[in-house]
Structures are given as structure tokens and as C-alpha cells.
Amino acid sequence: MSQKYKRAWIITFSGGKDSTCVLQLMYEMITKLPKDELNPTYAILSDTLVEAPNVAVYFKNIVKAINLDAKTRGLPFEIIVAHPSPQNEFWVNLIGKGYPSPTRIFRWCTERLKINPMKSIVKNIVEKHGSAIMTLGVRKSESMNRRRSIEKRTVSEDGFSKHDDYENVLIYSPITEWLTEDVWSYLTTQNPPPWGISHAKLFSLYSQASGDECQFIIDKSQSSCGGSRFGCWVCTLVNEDKSMQGFIKSGESSLAVLNEFRNFIKEARENRSMRCDFKKDGSFSPGPFTSSARKEILRRLLRAEAEFKACGGSELISDEQLGMIAKIWEKEFDSESSCITISKEFGRMQNIEISTPILEDVDLIDTTSKGGEAAKRIISEIVRKEGIKDNEIYEIIMKNIDDETAKLGESDDIL
């Protein structure tokens, strides 16, 4: 690599054909250059924790294979998997805080699940190395919107453009002029990947599903990945998840229960009986999911998980996420450990004892919020300090606050 650009390289890797093509081009170059000429190189893969299960397995295997190969060769290369922070995970927001399932207007998921985790990693890389060049797997032939997006960027004579969010990051898009057939020809006939695993599974995923590839999202101006081959299985930004339907028709019948749940949470946001009447700012419009709706969504998710696992699938929500949801519910409306009780109905959280909660400070909740949450926190503190033992009185008070809070529609401050 040119000493003129002796800076870190960052490969944005969505797992789709175009980003895989760029990844392989870069990796092949790294394996052929003298090691003293190599720049530190990173690929970033975004894992929202709600990827389609068959795609998640593919991601896990490909990351493991490439990182092992790079280590064996002694290359300064690593794929880093970006995850959302615990308080920004999908289930914590949807079921815990009551965020309605995302729409194209209220697309709360993209920034929390994809953009922020990626930005955090890029920031760390730039701070470590001083500057970086980011490669994108974008092509003009994808669509007119993509062509316009590529052509409006000011590109230097060396092929670089400035990144809008990072002063010390340049963007390089090596396959902008490639056609779809060029990409597939490169991946399937001309160049077997250096890490030793063929692209047969990738090709199979594309042949099974329909819809466009989900590009690696770096800012909110980009379109959503709803319905793409490599999007989230819970995505409600589209009317139908055609990729999931394609997987099911191609033999992945165990995914049918996931598709049914996805349709349920999409319909739930339009069901006024499942939404609070007020937003937290007091405006009279549908607010967050009610406490009863959140309980129903959790119960349906765990039922779907049980059916999916019976067909050989994996867990859909982690114990850590269930625990965080339980704490949020305690803070907002629940004095009966409902999350734990519901989880136990489906064989989850079996080692957690149910007891009358004395609320604890939880980082997930804004301690400056008003109304029922603040009242419950004050009462809990009094109970703690005064050593009150009458749990019946405590529960009655908390239940009354729960009822009033539900009427007011209190929830997270963005709703």
C-alpha cells in the first residue's frame, strides 16, 4: 500500500455480496503485499442481535474463518463485530420501554442498533491510528438513488472523498462501476476466497430470498434494510418481509413462527388499545405500548421462541435482556415481577427468585423523569429507610401508581 496513505483501513462489511467482494479484494491484496508495507486493517460487521437466524449463523462462521486465517498468516487484519449497547438493544426498547415497533417515520432502531455501535468502533480505530480510509461496497448500477449518492460526492484524483462525520476518515469505493454480474463472477468463478470457505452459502442465501442487499449503514440518510436478505427478522419498516418469506418457501419452515411474530408486532403498533393515549410530553397521540401490551408481546415472543427451539432453532432473547426488561418494568409500572413470572412460564429465568421488589437504581432509566416513576422511587426509598415490613400496603400503593401511570402513558422520553 502506498506510503502516502499509511493509515488504518476500515472495511464496512454487511455480509452481502458487494461488501464481501470488497472484503475479499482487500484481503487478497493484504496477503500478497510484503508485511512491512501493510496498513492495520479492520472490517466492521454490524450484528443487531436480531438478524435472521440462518444469516446470523453464516455471519458467525465467516467471521471465525477469516479471523483465524488472518491470525495464522500473521496479518494485521481483524473483523470486529459491532453490537448495540445493552440499553439500546431491540427487545429492551420494544418490550422494556414500550417503544412501538419501528416505522419509516419513527425509525428508532437504525441509529441504536447499527449507526452508534459502528461509530464507536470507528472512533476507537481513528484515535488509535490517527486517521483511516473507509471502504464502501456501493455500486452505481444498484439504483438511480445509489448512482446519485455516489456521483454527488467530491472525489479526489486518487479516488477518495471526505467522510461527513469524521474529520480524519476518507472514503474509498472500489467497485462503483461494477455490474451485479461482475460481482458474482468474481465471487463464484474467478477467485476462491483466501480464507478457505467458499461463497456457496452466500450464493444459497441469495438464491433462497428476494429483495435487495442491506448496505452497511453509516448515517441516517441511507434507506432502511427492511425486507433485505441481510436485514433484521423483526423489521417492521416494510409491509411484508419478502426475504423471510423467501427463506420459508425455500425450505426454512422453522422461520414461519418468527415471521408470524414479526407481523404481530407490526399490527400491534396500529392497535390503539395496545398504546397509551398520551405521549410523555402530554400530547394527545398514541404513545408507548401499555404495560399489558408489553406483557403480551413478551409472552408471544417467548412462545415463538419455544416453537422455534423445538424445530432446532436458538433463543430469540437473552437472559440478560430479560433481566433488564424486568428492572425497567419495576421502575415504570410493575410491582409483581411480571417479567420473571412470564419468563418462567416458558422455562426461562428459572434460577431467579420472585419476591416483592424494593426498587434499585437502574442506569437504563432517566432518574430525572417525573410522575409515577419518581413517586415509586420516593416511596421505595422511604420503605428502605424506615424499614417498613407491611408488603401488602406497599403493593397497594404501587398498584395505584401503576394504574395512574398507564393512564398518563409515561414511558421513555422520546415518545
Side-chain angles (χ1 to χ4, degrees):
M1 298 183 186
S2 171
Q3 295 300 308
K4 181 180 177 181
Y5 294 106
K6 193 66 176 178
R7 57 181 91 196
W9 286 79
I10 299 173
I11 304 166
T12 56
F13 180 47
S14 71
K17 67 183 189 305
D18 295 333
S19 65
T20 299
C21 180
V22 172
L23 174 64
Q24 184 168 327
L25 285 167
M26 294 290 294
Y27 196 86
E28 286 179 342
M29 178 175 62
I30 290 171
T31 61
K32 294 174 183 177
L33 285 173
K35 291 187 177 180
D36 61 354
E37 295 183 13
L38 297 181
N39 297 42
T41 305
Y42 306 86
I44 305 176
L45 173 68
S46 177
D47 180 4
T48 63
L49 304 180
V50 281
E51 306 293 331
N54 54 340
V55 175
V57 171
Y58 167 70
F59 283 169
K60 181 178 179 180
N61 291 337
I62 200 72
V63 168
K64 181 179 179 180
I66 296 175
N67 279 343
L68 178 60
D69 186 77
K71 185 177 181 180
T72 301
R73 295 173 186 264
L75 301 175
F77 178 91
E78 178 186 7
I79 297 183
I80 302 173
V81 180
H83 298 109
S85 58
Q87 66 268 28
N88 284 325
E89 291 170 355
F90 186 82
W91 301 125
V92 172
N93 284 282
L94 184 89
I95 301 176
K97 301 175 185 176
Y99 284 27
S101 38
T103 66
R104 291 189 180 278
I105 297 175
F106 185 37
R107 208 173 101 189
W108 56 263
C109 53
T110 304
E111 189 167 13
R112 288 168 173 77
L113 302 184
K114 291 194 171 186
I115 296 175
N116 290 342
M118 186 278 294
K119 282 187 173 182
S120 177
I121 293 174
V122 171
K123 181 176 180 290
N124 291 338
I125 292 173
V126 173
E127 287 180 349
K128 180 177 180 180
H129 299 287
S131 59
I133 298 173
M134 178 182 291
T135 65
L136 303 180
V138 294
R139 296 182 296 108
K140 293 180 181 178
S141 63
E142 291 177 76
S143 65
M144 285 304 299
N145 286 339
R146 182 65 67 183
R147 176 179 288 274
R148 284 193 288 267
S149 175
I150 293 171
E151 291 179 345
K152 76 178 182 180
R153 286 188 175 276
T154 302
V155 180
S156 70
E157 61 181 14
D158 294 323
F160 299 106
S161 59
K162 292 184 178 180
H163 196 290
D164 294 335
D165 296 326
Y166 300 101
E167 182 179 355
N168 295 321
V169 176
L170 298 176
I171 292 177
Y172 179 57
S173 304
I175 62 170
T176 55
E177 304 297 333
W178 288 37
L179 302 177
T180 299
E181 50 264 38
D182 297 327
V183 174
W184 280 123
S185 177
Y186 173 79
L187 291 176
T188 60
T189 62
Q190 298 177 9
N191 304 79
W195 47 83
I197 296 180
S198 76
H199 295 304
K201 180 60 179 178
L202 177 66
F203 188 79
S204 174
L205 289 171
Y206 271 89
S207 63
Q208 286 180 309
S210 59
D212 293 328
E213 173 182 339
C214 177
Q215 291 292 339
F216 193 100
I217 294 181
I218 60 175
D219 61 60
K220 288 191 287 187
S221 66
Q222 293 176 256
S223 61
S224 75
C225 296
S228 72
R229 293 178 179 87
F230 297 95
C232 304
W233 71 267
V234 291
C235 184
T236 54
L237 299 177
V238 291
N239 289 328
E240 294 181 279
D241 188 340
K242 294 182 179 179
S243 63
M244 182 67 78
Q245 293 172 4
F247 288 137
I248 294 168
K249 290 178 181 178
S250 299
E252 300 270 3
S253 58
S254 64
L255 297 177
V257 66
L258 274 62
N259 194 48
E260 291 173 5
F261 178 84
R262 175 262 173 199
N263 292 338
F264 162 68
I265 60 172
K266 179 180 180 297
E267 294 167 0
R269 74 175 183 222
E270 310 302 332
N271 185 342
R272 288 296 298 266
S273 69
M274 298 183 73
R275 303 277 296 276
C276 294
D277 292 331
F278 295 90
K279 291 185 177 180
K280 192 176 180 181
D281 62 7
S283 58
F284 185 71
S285 58
F289 283 127
T290 64
S291 58
S292 59
R294 296 184 220 181
K295 293 175 186 178
E296 181 180 354
I297 294 171
L298 176 60
R299 185 172 278 108
R300 290 212 187 192
L301 173 63
L302 292 175
R303 184 178 297 119
E305 179 186 83
E307 294 180 28
F308 185 55
K309 289 173 71 175
C311 297
S314 56
E315 288 183 350
L316 303 178
I317 183 171
S318 69
D319 286 344
E320 290 75 16
Q321 289 171 324
L322 289 170
M324 294 174 77
I325 290 169
K327 289 182 178 180
I328 294 172
W329 285 9
E330 285 181 21
K331 275 284 189 179
E332 289 198 9
F333 61 80
D334 186 27
S335 60
E336 300 174 345
S337 301
S338 301
C339 178
I340 300 173
T341 301
I342 294 170
S343 298
K344 285 181 178 294
E345 293 175 15
F346 297 91
R348 302 296 301 275
M349 303 189 82
Q350 294 301 298
N351 296 327
I352 306 297
E353 293 185 5
I354 297 176
S355 58
T356 301
I358 301 298
L359 301 181
E360 301 173 354
D361 290 335
V362 181
D363 292 338
L364 295 173
I365 305 299
D366 180 5
T367 56
T368 64
S369 61
K370 297 177 286 185
E373 181 188 324
K376 292 174 76 172
R377 186 165 54 253
I378 293 169
I379 293 169
S380 295
E381 187 63 23
I382 293 172
V383 169
R384 245 196 302 263
K385 288 182 177 179
E386 301 299 327
I388 297 173
K389 303 298 184 181
D390 193 336
N391 286 335
E392 183 177 353
I393 294 175
Y394 175 82
E395 291 182 0
I396 290 173
I397 294 172
M398 291 303 192
K399 180 63 170 60
N400 287 334
I401 295 175
D402 289 344
D403 293 341
E404 292 304 313
T405 299
K407 292 177 184 177
L408 291 173
E410 288 194 350
S411 186
D412 191 82
D413 55 12
I414 73 165
L415 296 171

